[in-house]
Amino acid sequence: QVCPSKFLSTPRILRAMLRLTLEQLKKYDDEHGESQILFSIRGKIYDATSGREMYGVDGGYHMFAGHDVTKVLGTMDLSLDARNDLQYKPADEEEEETLSDWEKRLGAKYPVVGELVPMSKL
């Protein structure tokens, strides 16, 4: 496993990709001590730290920080219960297109810095 503090101090081009479980990801919510703000979509972890005003504690999208938001974005369900559903798969072509559009949009703004893994894969 990659040490997050080492990850932060290494130049971006040389950084190893993070491998985090959902429980570990939850620490990157701008509330529990980690300076980065991370969220995941379809197993890819995005670094939204540069968007702290939107994803940080007082931001309108803070509910994303530290969570998997695949179902939130695919279904446009902004309820807290829609987060962290790792079994979610788009139900139809419309959900798939919506999710893909969000992946492209957010991927253009925030770098992918790792992958979400089951506890057994660490």
Side-chain angles (χ1 to χ4, degrees), residues 22 42-43 68 70-71 82-91 95 116 118:
L22 187 56
R42 287 201 239 214
D68 180 84
T70 306
K71 184 176 181 180
R83 300 179 305 179
N84 304 322
D85 183 348
L86 302 181
Q87 304 305 312
Y88 168 77
K89 301 281 185 235
E95 283 187 15
L116 199 60

Side-chain angles (χ1 to χ4, degrees), residues 52-102:
R52 187 174 304 279
E53 67 284 346
M54 293 173 48
Y55 297 94
V57 174
D58 295 323
Y61 293 98
H62 181 252
M63 69 168 287
F64 285 30
H67 295 279
D68 180 84
V69 294
T70 306
K71 184 176 181 180
V72 171
L73 296 174
T75 62
M76 297 309 298
D77 178 353
L78 297 177
S79 69
L80 298 180
D81 291 341
R83 300 179 305 179
N84 304 322
D85 183 348
L86 302 181
Q87 304 305 312
Y88 168 77
K89 301 281 185 235
D92 54 34
E93 198 172 304
E94 183 179 348
E95 283 187 15
E96 176 61 41
E97 188 175 317
T98 300
L99 184 56
S100 292
D101 286 347
W102 277 112

Side-chain angles (χ1 to χ4, degrees), residues 98-117:
T98 300
L99 184 56
S100 292
D101 286 347
W102 277 112
E103 284 178 298
K104 288 176 195 159
R105 194 175 309 168
L106 293 170
K109 256 185 128 165
Y110 306 115
V112 172
V113 295
E115 67 177 321
L116 199 60
V117 296

Side-chain angles (χ1 to χ4, degrees), residues 2-18 36 38 47 49 111-114:
V2 175
C3 174
S5 61
K6 181 175 178 143
F7 174 82
L8 292 172
S9 64
T10 306
R12 184 173 176 197
I13 198 160
L14 299 176
R15 288 182 191 159
M17 296 296 268
L18 289 172
Q36 282 179 289
L38 306 178
D47 185 342
T49 306
V112 172
V113 295

